[in-house]
Amino acid sequence: MADSEKDSQSSSTAPSNFIRNKIAEDLASNKHGGLVQTRFPPEPNGYLHIGHAKSICLNFSIAAQNNGSCNLRFDDTNPAKESQEFVDEIKNNIKWLGFDWSGKVRYSSNYFEHLYNFAMQLIENNLAYVCSLSPDQAREYRGSLTEPGTNSPDRDRSQAENIELFRRMRVGEFKDGSFSLRAKIDMASRNINMRDPVLYRIRHINHHQTGDKWCIYPTYDYTHCISDAIENVTHSLCTLEFEDHRPLYDWILQNLAIESLEKVSDLAGSIDNYVLPEQTEFAKLKLNYTMIGKRNLKEMIDTGVVKAWDDPRMPTLAGMRRRGFTAASIRNFCESVGVSRSESVVDMGMLEHSIREDLDKTAPRAMCVLNPLKLTIENVDADFVEKLSLQNHPKQESMGRREVPFTREVFIDRQDFEEKPPAGFKRLVLNGEVRLRGSYVIKCIEVIKDSAGEVIELVGSIDKDTLGKRPKGRKVKGVIHWVSASASIPVTVRLYDRLFNVENPDSKDIDDYRQCLNPNSLLTLENCRVEPSVIENGSSSFFQFEREGYFCVDEKDSRNNKMVFNRTITLRDSWSS
Ligand code: ATP
Ligand code: MG
């Protein structure tokens, strides 16, 4: 890994939070033998989103800061919704963010055999039973928040029978849903998760990792704690919705023979004091003006609201990357939102600020005219070409200079000319002057219109004594961007904006989030013109197009003969009033 990436895993300026403090205490008390082992456990049933980035940054950086390591483990117990495409994409995203997992990629499915044996152990200890209630019946028997549940009629099935039935479940003798394996805990528990939760269900489906080897699949709750134990995870960090599952996490591990866990663990035999992992919860990242749950994202794709998981309007890492977000900006954002136990909604402006801040420093400047209007300069010859030299970054000379050809015909943006200018208009008007950025001061002397009265061309003349110099005897306030008409290159530009125009599209007060889609979340402009250096230099794929915003090359849709640029973000926040 490159040094810069290493830094991202162990930024020494990371602010403290309750999890970092807890880990520091655990290290001080030698609770886990001085080890810090974390994991990031995505379910490969969709693309990663900005919420996952928070969890990734937390797990990987905490490990790195404490000389520990962080595993990548696919939580793949629900094959119906999972796929290899999602596995591959998740791995790419984590690397792109600048993190590297310890050792090989792990899968909960690697542990299916162990999980089966541990389930047998629970059965043998009279702590699990095979239940024949249908899913609907099981729901009825479960009770409610105010009423205790009812014992399953199969709760007292003999141990021998349970062993036999569970074995037969495994070999495929029963139909989906006909039996389940349940933990025998307490149907009257105030915590519904403890009312004899299901440990295994029958599903005759192919699995992306194990093929058709299994037709029973363990549940998330049963699998997660054991997988953590096998990997010697010391701190199992998850989001708050799992707080009520923590008693089950602990129950399962505490009811398995510790020697049997140690025997199958990664560090088997190499540690003196095997300690069970511990779950700690933190608040999920929530962001306004978007929806980030995978279920919502999938629905937006399925119903055509967006094009795909990597649509640049999506809060997925793939979408944000395509939109032009840098990994550093996402890491900085995750660091700055902090980690706590109280739920709050982060303002989208904060995410946008982090990308602006990064690109302001790193993006080379260039000129791109989004809505070209021809301006002919009558006092230079038809074949006139002057190669102007412009600095790539106003504050960083080290970013070098580029050549920008100036010719008799240039394009300016339609919006930079007004026939009837509003008060305070500082751009071009008939008989008025502006500076063409990095070039001369120009005066507009004629406006040409078509038969419908539309302005189709301007004629002007330059003051030849104003290149790099102030005009004599007068002040010219406005500066506009431009490109050479003959040397510029046509490109497509996509102007992206927030997907929703309300803060909380997911709110209960809104019947259908489709009613609050921002109609301007994507505006495609086909006839834009960039200065040639943007295409010809090939040294950068992202730019600040002066006065327009930050843009990046759309790697997927660009062709040699027509590049596509995505607007990452405007120059200023246009949303906060
Ligand atoms: P979603 O609700 O989008 O489906 P999930 O939690 O089901 O998310 P997983 O793949 O199971 O998705 O999550 C992997 C890890 O990422 C988990 O540890 C989960 O707690 C964490 N995570 C998911 N969403 C967020 C979020 N918004 N903020 C912080 N961490 C999150
Ligand atoms: Mg999930």
Side-chain angles (χ1 to χ4, degrees), residues 92-124:
N92 281 339
N93 288 165
I94 297 172
K95 291 237 154 124
W96 174 74
L97 257 191
F99 298 106
D100 206 356
W101 48 89
S102 148
K104 60 182 193 312
V105 173
R106 291 142 215 266
Y107 297 85
S108 295
S109 56
N110 293 155
Y111 313 135
F112 279 174
E113 195 65 46
H114 294 321
L115 289 159
Y116 178 82
N117 293 334
F118 285 126
M120 276 295 187
Q121 202 187 103
L122 291 176
I123 297 174
E124 282 159 10

Side-chain angles (χ1 to χ4, degrees), residues 17-292:
N17 58 49
F18 80 101
I19 293 181
R20 288 188 173 120
N21 295 344
K22 175 176 182 347
I23 289 178
E25 282 165 25
D26 291 350
L27 284 172
S29 66
N30 210 26
K31 189 168 182 182
H32 296 275
L35 279 182
V36 174
Q37 173 72 55
T38 58
R39 84 288 170 266
F40 174 63
E43 181 178 359
N45 63 349
Y47 278 39
L48 295 181
H49 51 61
I50 183 73
H52 293 119
K54 172 174 172 174
S55 175
I56 294 171
C57 291
L58 179 68
N59 278 295
F60 281 93
S61 63
I62 273 190
Q65 283 150 10
N66 293 290
N67 292 320
S69 42
C70 179
N71 291 351
L72 168 60
R73 183 203 315 143
F74 286 99
D75 159 32
D76 58 346
T77 55
N78 189 3
K81 294 184 174 162
E82 298 166 4
S83 75
Q84 187 63 41
E85 178 203 345
F86 295 139
V87 167
D88 294 339
E89 186 62 28
I90 289 171
K91 289 197 281 187
N92 281 339
N93 288 165
I94 297 172
K95 291 237 154 124
W96 174 74
L97 257 191
F99 298 106
D100 206 356
W101 48 89
S102 148
K104 60 182 193 312
V105 173
R106 291 142 215 266
Y107 297 85
S108 295
S109 56
N110 293 155
Y111 313 135
F112 279 174
E113 195 65 46
H114 294 321
L115 289 159
Y116 178 82
N117 293 334
F118 285 126
M120 276 295 187
Q121 202 187 103
L122 291 176
I123 297 174
E124 282 159 10
N125 290 322
N126 198 21
L127 292 171
Y129 61 96
V130 172
C131 178
S132 61
L133 291 179
S134 68
D136 283 343
Q137 289 170 318
R139 211 165 298 127
E140 260 169 52
Y141 276 70
R142 195 175 301 137
S144 67
L145 287 174
T146 48
E147 282 177 30
T150 313
N151 283 353
S152 158
D154 298 329
R155 204 170 196 262
D156 295 319
R157 202 191 282 286
S158 77
Q159 190 197 70
E161 208 181 329
N162 280 322
I163 291 177
E164 183 55 12
L165 281 173
F166 188 48
R167 191 194 60 74
R168 290 175 63 197
M169 279 169 65
R170 175 181 179 159
V171 297
E173 289 190 21
F174 306 121
K175 287 204 304 281
D176 287 10
S178 54
F179 288 105
S180 63
L181 182 74
R182 297 174 67 182
K184 193 185 281 191
I185 309 180
D186 177 8
M187 287 307 291
S189 171
R190 290 167 65 99
N191 183 341
I192 293 185
N193 295 300
M194 299 300 270
R195 294 185 190 168
D196 291 9
V198 172
L199 306 180
Y200 268 91
R201 42 210 170 7
I202 303 174
R203 293 261 192 291
H204 289 268
I205 20 181
N206 218 269
H207 186 288
H208 50 103
Q209 303 301 316
T210 57
D212 59 5
K213 184 160 180 223
W214 293 88
C215 62
I216 53 171
Y217 290 100
T219 53
Y220 170 87
D221 280 329
Y222 176 64
T223 308
H224 204 82
C225 52
I226 297 178
S227 305
D228 280 346
I230 290 174
E231 293 177 15
N232 280 93
V233 167
T234 55
H235 298 85
S236 183
L237 311 177
C238 63
T239 37
L240 279 177
E241 73 271 26
F242 292 105
E243 186 173 15
D244 289 346
H245 298 235
R246 187 176 356 126
L248 179 56
Y249 183 103
D250 292 339
W251 183 94
I252 292 167
L253 293 181
Q254 285 161 6
N255 282 290
L256 293 171
I258 195 150
E259 319 77 61
S260 64
L261 283 168
E262 185 177 1
K263 211 158 102 199
V264 299
S265 82
D266 278 2
L267 297 179
S270 66
I271 44 167
D272 302 336
N273 187 11
Y274 180 81
V275 184
L276 293 177
E278 210 183 323
Q279 175 179 306
T280 304
E281 309 86 18
F282 62 95
K284 268 198 167 174
L285 171 71
K286 292 185 178 166
L287 201 57
N288 62 11
Y289 294 104
T290 188
M291 299 199 292
I292 59 181

Side-chain angles (χ1 to χ4, degrees), residues 310-524:
D310 67 351
D311 187 303
R313 290 166 294 180
M314 289 281 259
T316 53
L317 295 182
M320 294 174 71
R321 179 181 182 181
R322 197 167 160 201
R323 171 90 168 248
F325 276 80
T326 59
S329 71
I330 295 176
R331 291 195 306 261
N332 289 342
F333 168 75
C334 291
E335 199 66 76
S336 61
V337 298
V339 179
S340 82
R341 282 184 55 86
S342 54
E343 298 268 3
S344 62
V345 180
V346 174
D347 186 48
M348 178 65 95
M350 207 166 144
L351 178 61
E352 295 171 345
H353 170 78
S354 73
I355 183 63
R356 272 194 200 100
E357 191 179 48
D358 190 19
L359 292 178
D360 179 44
K361 288 190 213 114
T362 55
R365 276 41 174 178
M367 292 192 281
C368 175
V369 174
L370 300 185
N371 299 294
L373 174 63
K374 190 152 99 181
L375 166 58
T376 302
I377 299 153
E378 55 139 42
N379 61 339
V380 301
D381 293 339
D383 60 354
F384 175 82
V385 182
E386 182 170 5
K387 291 185 174 156
L388 302 171
S389 166
L390 270 67
Q391 201 163 308
N392 285 332
H393 193 287
K395 292 188 208 119
Q396 312 209 38
E397 263 177 67
S398 62
M399 286 176 71
R401 305 182 75 84
R402 66 191 192 281
E403 241 175 36
V404 182
F406 180 65
T407 52
R408 179 178 157 92
E409 290 180 349
V410 299
F411 288 124
I412 64 167
D413 200 283
R414 225 156 245 286
Q415 291 180 1
D416 284 335
F417 173 80
E418 280 292 346
E419 277 198 288
K420 298 192 185 83
F425 188 78
K426 291 205 192 78
R427 294 163 273 167
L428 196 58
V429 296
L430 184 60
N431 297 319
E433 284 185 311
V434 287
R435 179 175 293 279
L436 295 177
R437 179 106 175 106
S439 174
Y440 298 88
V441 167
I442 186 162
K443 180 175 191 175
C444 175
I445 52 179
E446 190 188 343
V447 180
I448 301 173
K449 296 183 186 175
D450 64 10
S451 54
E454 278 286 312
V455 176
I456 51 168
E457 190 182 335
L458 303 174
V459 181
S461 69
I462 54 170
D463 177 342
K464 292 187 179 170
D465 202 25
T466 55
L467 186 63
K469 282 193 260 175
R470 295 211 177 122
K472 287 206 184 87
R474 62 203 195 277
K475 272 198 182 136
V476 173
K477 282 201 182 138
V479 181
I480 63 173
H481 61 286
W482 58 277
V483 294
S484 154
S486 54
S488 63
I489 297 169
V491 295
T492 298
V493 170
R494 294 175 179 156
L495 301 179
Y496 287 106
D497 201 349
R498 295 178 183 177
L499 192 50
F500 293 98
N501 51 24
V502 297
E503 286 207 27
N504 185 4
D506 210 7
S507 126
K508 290 185 188 66
D509 307 334
I510 292 173
D511 293 340
D512 183 350
Y513 63 81
R514 272 165 289 240
Q515 289 162 355
C516 34
L517 288 167
N518 173 5
N520 301 318
S521 67
L522 168 59
L523 195 67
T524 304

